[in-house]
Amino acid sequence: MQTGENAPTPQRIGVPREIFPGEKRVATVPDVVTKLVKLGFAVVVEQGAGALADLSDDAYVQAGATIAPNAAALWSGSDIVFKVRAPVAEEVALMHAGQTLVGFLWPAQNPELMQQLAAKKVTALSIDALPRTLSRAQKMDALTSMAGVSGYRAVVEAANAFGRFFNGQITAAGKVPPAKVFIAGAGVAGLAAIGAAASLGAIVRANDTRAEVADQVVSLGGEFVKVDYEEEGSGGGGYAKVMSEGFQAAQREMYAQQAREVDIIITTALIPGKPAPKLITADMVKSMKPGSVIVDMAAEQGGNCELTEPGKAVVHHGVTIVGYTDLASRMARQSSTLYGTNLFRLTEELCKTKDGVIHVNMADDAIRGLTVIKEGEITWPAPPLAAAPKPAPKAVVAVTEKKGGHGHGSSGPMPTKTLAVVFGLGALAFWAIGAYAPPAFLGHFTVFVLACFIGNMVVWNVTPALHTPLMSVTNAISSIIVIGALVQILPPEAGTNGRPDQLIQWLAFVGIVLTAVNMFGGFAVTRRMLAMFRK
């Protein structure tokens, strides 16, 4: 960081109040303001910007921000502007040359906005254009953050409209069956919905064109419903692609069957730059049971259901169709916190010197991807990312096949003849030890072998949920120690030369105590860890 006269003047980050109808989110929260100030920035928040997210002006002031009395004062006095929604015409009019705008701009859907911003000679970073395939960009991925909130909220809205328990119950008044929920699309929003619905006790099914998400669906407590048609559905950037007519026909047949069986359908299917695909037809809605619910998360892009009305909850054929376009905004405080954190991580990348001045580095793949306008020049779309180099093929070592079907170094099962030879040699060695070793050694050796066997069988037959792999090994060793120590403490058998001296007995006693502390303490810690995951 530069000091003295050469130190750059810190830039001012402005956070205006969102004026889009129904938008309750705000681009940053007081906790994030504190972090931005530590990076060297001055933060200005428009009066009442966080009111709809339950964030007061006083909270921003205490975090280090100043309050602008109106939008004109904020826009004119800010070098950088953080927004949630794309600016409308009256907000663009307040911008000035050299300003930097960060927010959801959707350049593909808003070409006129791109021209207006370019005419203002500003730099615009569209957070929705971030290359999601870059692992280092995940901390800035606001699309994922908002999709997770929306998926959770979709289940809440479905439960509110459903009017019945999600989990099955048996009461004195009768039996209540669990609700059946079908999730169309298992992206970030779909997975969040699956987790929320499963946690409420519903029977959850899900489908996606990308076969690789099946394991994720199952891990969250859902059942993956496969379309009876083989076709790969993965598109670029982690999205799904447009499928063939044959696949779509098979998919519609599967959706029709699910519509007849389930109580709730939540659709999440979106394809970048295209209208939302129509997955649920009017006939499917008509076939659903009265009182069923459809939550169409793609309503803002036209909807996945033919009967969806964006922004409204309507009823057709006894089925409630929820087409709200502000699901993330309905959890404004949570959404604002996550979104503000995403923008803070982006700011860290733009201001690595921590001097309160951002630098838009077009050589950085992540920054280049989300920079749609640079100093008045439209730079969107970004060039495709270079493909990751393929790993060099491993050298193939020739293996000479031996008689019996297993080559040298093979990890396959041992041939029968070899196994017989090994057991024969082992038996011969054991006979030699018994014939020539002293009686005391043979007794100790027998105890050692039995201790190893018992320790292995006792610990490895315990369900893995009760211990960690590390505890499995340490408990096996502890079992051997305990058995050996007990042999030294217990009274001698008749005909032996007497008990060991007291020093050995005390050492054995100490060994038992320490081993018991290790074993029982380990299980106690494991039990506490498992209790953290119980509801």
Side-chain angles (χ1 to χ4, degrees), residues 255-256 259-260 265 279-294 304-308 314-321:
Y255 283 156
R260 292 189 295 268
I265 296 178
L279 305 178
I280 308 299
T281 65
D283 288 338
M284 294 181 194
V285 175
K286 192 174 182 178
S287 70
M288 296 181 73
K289 293 173 283 189
S292 298
V293 179
I294 297 175
N304 296 136
C305 177
E306 289 183 347
L307 301 179
T308 296
V314 296
V315 179
H316 289 280
H317 309 296
V319 178
T320 302
I321 303 173

Side-chain angles (χ1 to χ4, degrees), residues 64 96 102 114 117 137 203 222 273 313 350 365 368 412 477 485 489:
H96 57 79
V102 183
M114 292 295 101
L117 294 174
I203 297 174
L350 295 171
D365 288 339
R368 174 65 187 90
I477 297 173
I489 291 180

Side-chain angles (χ1 to χ4, degrees), residues 180-197:
K180 295 181 180 179
V181 181
F182 177 70
I183 314 291
V188 175
L191 292 174
I194 292 167

Side-chain angles (χ1 to χ4, degrees), residues 106 109 270-271 274-278 297-304 310 325:
W106 303 104
Q109 289 86 351
L270 284 173
I271 298 173
K274 297 181 180 294
K278 299 299 181 185
M297 295 183 62
E300 194 167 5
Q301 282 74 40
N304 296 136
T325 58

Side-chain angles (χ1 to χ4, degrees), residues 270-525:
L270 284 173
I271 298 173
K274 297 181 180 294
K278 299 299 181 185
L279 305 178
I280 308 299
T281 65
D283 288 338
M284 294 181 194
V285 175
K286 192 174 182 178
S287 70
M288 296 181 73
K289 293 173 283 189
S292 298
V293 179
I294 297 175
V295 179
D296 194 340
M297 295 183 62
E300 194 167 5
Q301 282 74 40
N304 296 136
C305 177
E306 289 183 347
L307 301 179
T308 296
E309 295 185 30
K312 299 179 181 179
V314 296
V315 179
H316 289 280
H317 309 296
V319 178
T320 302
I321 303 173
V322 179
Y324 297 149
T325 58
D326 59 347
L327 290 173
S329 185
R330 287 171 178 256
M331 300 184 68
R333 182 156 187 163
Q334 181 68 78
S335 300
S336 299
T337 301
L338 295 175
Y339 183 65
T341 302
N342 292 140
L343 294 192
F344 168 69
R345 296 303 181 188
L346 170 60
T347 308
E348 282 185 318
E349 294 295 317
L350 295 171
C351 181
K352 294 184 177 180
T353 53
K354 299 182 179 180
D355 56 0
V357 178
I358 64 170
H359 172 59
V360 180
N361 180 15
M362 300 295 276
D364 185 313
D365 288 339
I367 303 302
R368 174 65 187 90
L370 55 80
T371 303
V372 295
I373 299 175
K374 178 68 182 298
E375 298 174 357
E377 179 185 353
I378 297 179
T379 59
W380 185 87
L385 298 176
K390 295 182 179 181
K394 296 181 180 180
V396 179
V397 180
V399 178
T400 305
E401 292 292 332
K402 293 186 176 182
K403 191 174 181 180
H406 295 279
H408 180 67
S410 172
S411 59
M414 187 180 296
T416 305
K417 292 183 178 179
T418 305
L419 190 63
V421 171
V422 169
F423 271 101
L425 292 175
L428 184 62
F430 190 76
W431 175 83
I433 292 174
Y436 298 101
F441 174 80
L442 185 61
H444 288 308
F445 181 74
T446 303
V447 171
F448 173 75
V449 172
L450 290 176
C452 291
F453 177 76
I454 294 172
N456 176 76
M457 294 302 296
V458 168
V459 175
W460 258 264
N461 281 335
V462 174
T463 174
L466 296 180
H467 55 68
T468 64
L470 179 61
M471 282 186 61
S472 301
V473 178
T474 56
N475 286 344
I477 297 173
S478 298
S479 301
I480 298 172
I481 296 173
V482 169
I483 293 176
L486 287 173
V487 171
Q488 299 300 325
I489 291 180
L490 295 177
E493 298 178 4
T496 61
N497 295 327
R499 64 170 64 241
D501 58 43
Q502 290 188 352
L503 176 61
I504 294 178
Q505 286 182 317
W506 280 109
L507 289 176
F509 175 75
V510 171
I512 292 175
V513 171
L514 294 178
T515 304
V517 170
N518 176 59
M519 294 177 67
F520 290 103
F523 279 114
V525 171

